[in-house]
Amino acid sequence: MSVSQVWRKHMEHKRRALLALLAVVAVGSVALSGCGETLVSADSSDLDDRETIEAYSEEAGFFDESDIYDVASIPVAGSDQRTELEPVRIWREITERVVTRVVQVDHVEGTADLSVTRELLGTLNIVDSDSTLYVKPMHHTGVRYAEFEKDDEWEPDNDGGYQAGKTHRYRRGPWGLTATSGLLSSSEHLTMHIDWMRVQSATVDVTISDPTLLMSVPDEIMHFEVGQQVTVTVSGPPDDALVFLHTRRHRDALEYDAGVFTGTWTVMHRGAHCAAIQALAHDSIYDSEYPDDCLIWGMPYAVGTENDVEPTERRP
C-alpha cells in the first residue's frame, strides 16, 4: 500500500468523525441563535490542547526525521551490471518542507489522535567516478500517526517542570504519548516495495510488516541500551536495489545475501529516536535519466531508561 492510499484510508475515517461533530455543532448553533446568543466555534482549551500536541510532535525524537534526510553523502559501491553511471557517492538536499499536522481531540474520553504528513521537495545528487554531478528532482511524501491521553490531574510544579512521579520523555504538559506508528515515506515515482524488516539485538527481536500500525508507548517500542549491536534484515526490494540504513550518525548500505538485505549498527545515543530503511531503485543511481524511485520505512526506538533524558536531547 502506497503512502497516498494509507493517507486516504486514514483521512476518510477522520472525515466521517469530523462530519458527525460538525452536525452536532450545527444543531447547537441553530438553538443558540434563537435565543440571541453568540456561538463560539472553538473552545480555547481545545486550541491549547491541539497546540500542545503539535508542539510535542515538532520536538520529540520519535518524530525526528532529520537523520533520514540528512545532507551527509553516502558512499556507493559499483554495480554488478553494465551501467551508464559509475557513482561514488549520493546525497539528498531538501529545499522545501510542507508539514501538515492534524489533531482531533476527544474531550469526553480525554484522548487525541495525531496525523503528521510531510511533503519534501529537493534533489537527489549523484557524483560519478569522473566527478560529474548529476542532479535529479526529489518529491517525497511521508505519513505517520500517534495517539495521546490527557492527565486531568497534571499540574506544573513551582519550577515550571513536572510533578514528582509524572516526569517522562513521552509527555508534554498534561498530554502523554500512548501510541505511535513508524514512518512511511515514498517518492512520487514508485516501484520499490518492502515486505518486512526484522530488528534484532540482545534484548529485541521484532518483525515489522506495516510501519503505519500503531505501537503502544512505551511497551511496544523497541528499547536498546548504549553499546548494543543491532542487526536489521529487510525483505522485498529487488536484488539490485540499493538499501540503506539510517540512524544517528550512521548511514550505510545493507548487504544482499540469500534473498534479504542485512546490516548492523551500534547504539550510541540515549533518547527517543527514529531509524529508517531506504530502498532505492538501481537505475535511480546508475542511470542518468531514471527518476528518484524510493521507499522509506521509519521505526521509532528508545535508548536508555524512561527517565534518562528529554526527547529533544541531541548529543554530538
Side-chain angles (χ1 to χ4, degrees):
M1 184 177 291
S2 68
V3 172
S4 60
Q5 290 172 322
V6 170
W7 175 246
R8 284 197 297 269
K9 181 178 178 181
H10 180 77
M11 290 309 296
E12 176 61 22
H13 173 75
K14 298 300 182 184
R15 185 184 68 84
R16 292 176 181 175
L18 181 59
L19 287 175
L21 176 62
L22 289 175
V24 174
V25 172
V27 172
S29 176
V30 172
L32 288 174
S33 64
C35 300
E37 298 288 339
T38 300
L39 178 68
V40 178
S41 61
D43 191 300
S44 60
S45 63
D46 181 74
L47 181 61
D48 290 343
D49 288 335
R50 286 189 283 111
E51 289 180 342
T52 297
I53 292 170
E54 288 177 359
Y56 177 89
S57 69
E58 292 173 4
E59 300 175 0
F62 289 154
F63 298 86
D64 183 5
E65 291 144 24
S66 59
D67 291 323
I68 302 172
Y69 289 101
D70 192 280
V71 296
S73 63
I74 305 173
V76 178
S79 174
D80 293 334
Q81 307 173 26
R82 183 179 179 85
T83 61
E84 174 194 359
L85 304 183
E86 296 181 359
V88 293
R89 59 190 178 94
I90 63 172
W91 73 95
R92 297 185 183 275
E93 291 184 9
I94 308 302
T95 57
E96 182 179 357
R97 282 182 168 89
V98 180
V99 182
T100 303
R101 295 179 176 87
V102 178
V103 180
Q104 292 191 328
V105 180
D106 185 331
H107 293 286
V108 176
E109 297 294 331
T111 59
D113 294 333
L114 168 69
S115 63
V116 182
T117 304
R118 296 179 186 269
E119 188 175 8
L120 305 176
L121 293 92
T123 58
L124 170 62
N125 307 283
I126 307 164
V127 174
D128 202 2
S129 58
D130 62 1
S131 298
T132 302
L133 174 63
Y134 296 87
V135 179
K136 297 185 178 184
M138 166 193 154
H139 186 178
H140 285 201
T141 302
V143 63
R144 67 192 316 153
Y145 307 104
E147 292 180 347
F148 294 81
E149 186 172 294
K150 191 173 187 179
D151 181 358
D152 289 325
E153 298 181 358
W154 176 91
E155 292 181 0
D157 61 24
N158 294 331
D159 296 326
Y162 300 116
Q163 292 172 303
K166 295 184 181 292
T167 302
H168 62 86
R169 62 182 175 218
Y170 307 129
R171 175 179 300 281
R172 186 180 181 97
W175 286 97
L177 178 68
T178 57
T180 184
S181 73
L183 167 71
L184 175 63
S185 183
S186 66
S187 56
E188 195 170 36
H189 175 88
L190 180 65
T191 67
M192 287 292 95
H193 67 276
I194 297 174
D195 294 329
W196 52 262
M197 66 177 177
R198 185 179 182 184
V199 183
Q200 297 170 281
S201 73
T203 56
V204 170
D205 191 344
V206 174
T207 299
I208 299 170
S209 57
D210 183 352
T212 65
L213 294 180
L214 290 168
M215 296 168 280
S216 65
V217 176
D219 294 343
E220 293 181 347
I221 299 297
M222 294 182 293
H223 187 280
F224 307 111
E225 297 298 331
V226 172
Q228 274 192 331
Q229 187 176 73
V230 181
T231 299
V232 179
T233 305
V234 180
S235 175
D239 57 8
D240 64 349
L242 290 87
V243 180
F244 300 100
L245 172 64
H246 298 255
T247 68
R248 286 292 306 275
R249 302 191 180 279
H250 181 104
R251 296 159 194 83
D252 284 331
L254 273 62
E255 297 292 332
Y256 181 80
D257 183 48
V260 295
F261 294 85
T262 305
T264 62
W265 97 90
T266 301
V267 175
M268 297 299 294
H269 304 276
R270 295 185 183 276
H273 307 292
C274 182
I277 293 298
Q278 175 185 184
L280 187 60
H282 176 275
D283 286 351
S284 291
I285 301 302
Y286 294 97
D287 186 313
S288 62
E289 299 297 327
Y290 191 82
D292 181 23
D293 184 352
C294 175
L295 179 62
I296 293 174
W297 282 19
M299 47 187 177
Y301 69 98
V303 182
T305 60
E306 185 173 300
N307 294 311
D308 277 343
V309 293
E310 291 300 307
T312 53
E313 180 180 18
R314 304 286 291 181
R315 296 183 180 179

